[in-house]
Amino acid sequence: MKLTEDLAKSLLRRHGLPVPDGAVAQTAEEAGAIAREYGGAAVVKALIAAGRRGKQGLVAVVDDEQSAARETSRMLGTRAFGNPITKIYVERRATIARELYLSFAFTDQNLRMVICCEGGVDIETTYARNPEKIVVADIDPLRGLKAWDAVGYWADAGLKGQALAAVGRMTASLYDAFVACDAVMMEINPLTLDDDNKPLLVGSMMEIDDSALFRQPWIEAEAVSETSANPREAAVILANRSYPGGESRYTELDGNIGLLVAGGGAGLLQHDMIVELGGKPANHTDVSPAPGTEKLEAILDAIFTNPRSRSLLIGYNYLQMARCDQVAKALRISVDRNRVDPTRFPIVMRVFGPEEKKAREIAASIPGVNYLAPDATLEDGCRMIVELTRQAAE
Amino acid sequence: MSILIDENTRVVVQGITGNQGLFDTKLALAYGVKIVAGVTPGRGGEEVYGVPVFDTMLQAVRNTGANAAVTYVPASRSRNAVFEAIEAGCGIVLATAENMPKHDAVQAVAMSRRADAWLIGFNTNGVISPGKCKLGGIGGNDPDAIYMPGRLGIVSRSGGMSAELAWVLKRSGMGVSTAVSMGGDRTTGRMMHEYLELFENDPETDAMIIYGEPGTDNESKVARAIAEGLIKKPVIAYIAGTFQERYPAGVSFGHVAAMIVNKDDTASAKRSALASAGANVVTTLAAIPDAVRNVL
């Protein structure tokens, strides 16, 4: 979960890290009042969880309360990344003598810090121009990042004197906060120094691990929950929250073949195969086995109510734990609920494993469902659905 | 032989009294696995299907000589379960939890590497040396229907695909020395090439089949290990997920790890890296038996 700037900064502040004063405004008047508190010198930013706002005109540096209000009016109501801007972050303007760059992220097996004495520009740009100025350091997750490690790395990056000591110590505290908050990504750009070499975290982007929200309760309460503008995708996200079991995903695409595929690997394989055969999926799903049929029903409902869907492939890996009859039961319920006629809306099932006999009985009670023979491969299911979808379109 | 586990492996089940622990223990015992102990704090002294339950891993290992652990504890406690298993002296630890907090996962990986232990998972359904031993739910209630003993090694990023690979081999009369579902998360206890290096040194494995996905360095490291001569036995590679390249980067379609991070992580890039290193890259499951016959 990406945090908006106000949340990221309040989180860092709680961990005792130096961030500029700032507050959220929802109207021009509020923005003006906040800027006045800071003596007029402020930065006004659209509050969305995305980087590179400056390039889209969503960041303005202002000198007085009137300009803060004016810039706020200009940004409110415009759209960014498909969503209307409804909140503005007004921040006290920092005295900047120098700009640095710092980020923490994961590699496949480790944690990694990237630092550079040139901040304020994209790290990609610096990398393209002066790769030698960037210091990359892997961090042992058991040992963590000690202040003396950080001082050493910043010295390698070219920092000296008082600035080196201050930034090095602060970097170790920042790493501790990164771990304590279960962040998966943190980018501080710029990390600024004032004339007295005091560091300040001016640009702060943070993403929190969704799998760790259970131990970061305040983040869940404050952050905006994930949702989708697409009502069917939103319904599946809601079903994930409402019912037990692993997370299932449903993403709509521009084709016409509905996919209910599991697990993750078989989903990739079947999607590849359908595309190779000239078919176009209407959606991609990834289903985790869950108790009950409600979550599966939610996904099937989404597929059946997607106006682009013309057919459905239920392609499962050879099930080793989950029960086949649960899948058939969910199909029966959703077909009835959405009045689907499988003689016109082709449905192919490739679901083998425990309780397969019961599943076949239930499927047989839905006229028109094609339940593949026990030796059919995942690829056979793909071939059949592409062919039936083509025929149905004729 | 086989890799990681065989008929001499003595298994301890962490979380044996929970639903999944009970369920898998019953099936594993039926398969003939030597489950010598279970652990659930506060339940020491009880028995589960005749298996003695202990309060701590240390007690379990000291009393039974267990050398491999399977953990069925929830994600929120899995890091500590792995730490405990390793401190108790288990050289093999299979961790099944899905949705692991990422900081916990890298800490568990670092801990197991430091102790020279072999952590399998997270998000794995298990490892099986057919006819000898299995850890985890792999094979379900009838492992023989899918996993036949033989001389091919399988390393898969997906538990379900491990089954599909073994099944397609079995139908062509080919069996498996060991099949590993290494875990579908970005961070796994060991990387794919490390398993292949174990197979390389196993006299009872003739060739290896890998299943890979977009995201992570796993497959590119396999390509490097083949190119550097660390892996000389034939490798047949199936890499799924080329369709993702038709959609915007950053959209995840499968396992958490199957997110395209950069252009070297795509299925196509992995296929070509493996092919140029000398692996036999196939694009359908049906092509695998012939590919095996061709290289042996």
Side-chain angles (χ1 to χ4, degrees):
Chain A
M1 173 185 291
K2 280 195 182 117
L3 297 185
T4 48
E5 187 174 357
D6 58 324
L7 288 178
K9 285 185 170 159
S10 77
L11 186 50
L12 293 171
R13 200 177 286 123
R14 273 182 230 195
H15 281 88
L17 289 151
V19 293
D21 295 327
V24 178
Q26 287 178 286
T27 64
E29 292 70 39
E30 285 172 16
I34 299 165
R36 187 170 62 234
E37 217 177 291
Y38 301 150
V43 183
V44 174
K45 308 183 233 191
L47 202 50
I48 50 170
R52 300 183 189 172
R53 289 170 295 177
K55 288 190 180 136
Q56 304 197 43
L58 300 175
V59 175
V61 177
V62 299
D63 291 319
D64 53 50
E65 141 183 22
Q66 290 74 22
S67 343
R70 195 170 55 244
E71 290 294 339
T72 299
S73 302
R74 179 179 66 77
M75 289 179 202
L76 282 174
T78 59
R79 299 177 79 84
F81 305 103
N83 292 313
I85 291 162
T86 57
K87 288 179 182 174
I88 301 292
Y89 193 59
V90 184
E91 191 170 74
R92 186 193 293 276
R93 214 158 89 197
T95 312
I96 299 175
R98 194 166 179 192
E99 295 185 313
L100 314 174
Y101 173 94
L102 184 162
S103 70
F104 297 118
F106 278 82
T107 64
D108 289 353
Q109 298 249 306
N110 251 321
L111 292 153
R112 179 169 286 171
M113 177 172 74
V114 175
I115 54 173
C116 181
C117 282
E118 286 183 14
V121 290
D122 295 342
I123 193 72
E124 291 88 344
T125 310
T126 311
Y127 185 74
R129 285 190 203 141
N130 304 100
E132 75 287 351
K133 291 193 174 170
I134 297 172
V135 172
V136 177
D138 281 359
I139 300 166
D140 177 347
L142 293 177
R143 184 172 175 276
L145 181 74
K146 309 296 182 195
W148 54 93
D149 300 333
V151 168
Y153 292 131
W154 278 110
D156 291 345
L159 212 55
K160 290 186 174 67
Q162 220 180 12
L164 175 61
V167 172
R169 283 190 208 111
M170 200 260 334
T171 299
S173 306
L174 193 61
Y175 177 80
D176 291 342
F178 175 75
V179 178
C181 300
D182 274 303
V184 288
M185 187 279 293
M186 181 192 280
E187 186 177 56
I188 309 296
N189 188 22
L191 190 177
T192 66
L193 295 173
D194 66 11
D195 297 323
D196 299 324
N197 285 315
K198 263 181 70 185
L200 190 65
L201 308 176
V202 168
S204 311
M205 289 230 295
M206 249 175 117
E207 189 174 343
I208 305 294
D209 185 357
D210 291 330
S211 300
L213 289 178
F214 66 88
R215 61 188 180 201
Q216 303 289 347
W218 73 270
I219 293 176
E220 199 158 28
E222 288 183 31
V224 185
S225 296
E226 180 207 3
T227 189
S228 168
N230 176 313
R232 294 168 297 277
E233 291 180 358
V236 173
I237 292 167
L238 186 66
N240 272 321
R241 268 186 233 132
S242 312
Y243 306 115
E247 193 186 334
S248 295
R249 268 173 286 196
Y250 171 87
T251 310
E252 276 188 17
L253 304 167
D254 55 3
N256 58 0
I257 300 176
L259 286 186
L260 175 58
V261 288
L268 297 180
L269 179 150
Q270 292 173 98
H271 199 137
D272 273 350
M273 189 78 189
I274 286 170
V275 168
E276 228 159 88
L277 292 166
K280 281 191 171 171
N283 66 280
H284 190 85
T285 50
D286 183 23
V287 187
S288 287
T293 57
E294 288 92 347
K295 229 186 245 194
L296 268 183
E297 288 171 41
I299 292 170
L300 287 164
D301 288 348
I303 292 172
F304 289 139
T305 55
N306 175 3
R308 276 194 286 264
S309 306
R310 292 286 175 273
S311 63
L312 167 66
L313 172 64
I314 306 181
Y316 273 56
N317 269 133
Y318 206 106
L319 290 177
Q320 300 174 63
M321 288 292 147
R323 285 161 41 185
C324 301
D325 60 328
Q326 294 284 70
V327 182
K329 258 184 221 160
L331 178 65
R332 164 97 250 185
I333 294 167
S334 185
V335 159
D336 288 348
R337 182 156 57 221
N338 297 290
R339 297 164 199 267
V340 175
D341 175 4
T343 60
R344 298 153 60 104
F345 186 106
I347 297 177
V348 173
M349 285 179 80
R350 192 271 189 190
V351 184
F352 308 146
E355 304 295 343
E356 183 179 328
K357 192 164 162 272
K358 226 185 268 173
R360 287 185 180 276
E361 283 165 18
I362 298 168
S365 74
I366 318 171
V369 169
N370 300 281
Y371 203 132
L372 296 183
D375 61 344
T377 63
L378 289 168
E379 289 151 359
D380 291 336
C382 296
R383 266 188 285 276
M384 187 165 194
I385 199 68
V386 171
E387 179 58 22
L388 291 177
T389 310
R390 198 181 53 75
Q391 284 173 14
E394 281 171 2
Chain B
M1 264 172 66
S2 44
I3 66 164
L4 298 168
I5 53 169
D6 59 25
E7 57 276 16
N8 299 316
T9 303
R10 297 173 69 78
V11 180
V12 50
V13 178
Q14 286 177 286
I16 193 167
T17 55
N19 281 338
Q20 198 65 39
L22 282 171
F23 188 76
D24 282 2
T25 297
K26 190 177 176 187
L27 294 178
L29 287 168
Y31 192 64
V33 177
K34 291 192 180 74
I35 297 186
V36 296
V39 170
T40 299
R43 303 284 292 267
E46 296 181 21
E47 279 194 0
V48 168
Y49 304 119
V51 175
V53 179
F54 298 89
D55 289 317
T56 70
M57 286 293 285
L58 198 58
Q59 287 171 7
V61 169
R62 281 193 178 151
N63 284 284
T64 65
N67 53 15
V70 188
T71 86
Y72 291 108
V73 305
S76 58
R77 296 203 299 270
S78 271
R79 168 189 53 190
N80 284 353
V82 170
F83 282 11
E84 190 188 353
I86 288 168
E87 284 189 353
C90 292
I92 308 273
V93 181
L94 183 121
T96 59
E98 277 184 66
N99 301 320
M100 273 298 286
K102 291 175 183 61
H103 283 280
D104 290 7
V106 291
Q107 287 171 19
V109 171
M111 178 66 147
S112 58
R113 286 189 180 278
R114 186 182 281 187
D116 240 338
W118 200 282
L119 173 64
I120 306 162
F122 296 83
N123 189 8
T124 168
N125 79 338
V127 48
I128 186 168
S129 296
K132 297 173 182 169
C133 185
K134 75 177 189 107
L135 302 179
I138 193 165
N141 57 0
D142 188 8
D144 295 332
I146 299 167
Y147 292 100
M148 186 169 93
R151 301 185 57 87
L152 299 169
I154 292 176
V155 188
S156 174
R157 291 282 281 152
S158 148
M161 289 308 298
S162 165
E164 297 289 339
L165 293 171
W167 190 56
V168 87
L169 291 171
K170 178 172 178 269
R171 294 198 306 162
S172 299
M174 300 175 196
V176 169
S177 54
T178 301
V180 184
S181 158
M182 62 178 280
D185 291 349
R186 177 175 183 188
T187 297
T188 52
R190 295 281 171 162
M191 297 195 77
M192 192 178 263
H193 68 97
E194 301 185 271
Y195 288 99
L196 294 181
E197 286 167 21
L198 293 184
F199 280 125
E200 180 70 24
N201 294 315
D202 174 28
E204 292 184 6
T205 298
D206 296 330
M208 290 81 86
I209 299 149
I210 60 172
Y211 167 79
E213 295 180 350
T216 82
D217 291 338
N218 276 290
E219 297 82 357
S220 56
K221 286 191 171 165
V222 170
R224 207 175 311 146
I226 295 173
E228 287 171 358
L230 295 170
I231 299 165
K232 296 188 195 70
K233 290 180 183 174
V235 174
I236 293 150
Y238 185 105
I239 311 295
T242 48
F243 79 88
Q244 289 191 2
E245 295 154 38
R246 300 169 66 239
Y247 300 105
V251 181
S252 175
F253 290 98
H255 290 126
V256 177
M259 232 185 309
I260 302 174
V261 177
N262 63 52
K263 63 184 192 322
D264 301 327
D265 289 344
T266 62
S268 301
K270 291 181 177 195
R271 286 180 187 178
S272 58
L274 285 161
S276 49
N280 193 329
V281 176
V282 295
T283 54
T284 66
L285 289 177
I288 290 175
D290 277 342
V292 173
R293 283 184 205 104
N294 286 342
V295 295
L296 293 182

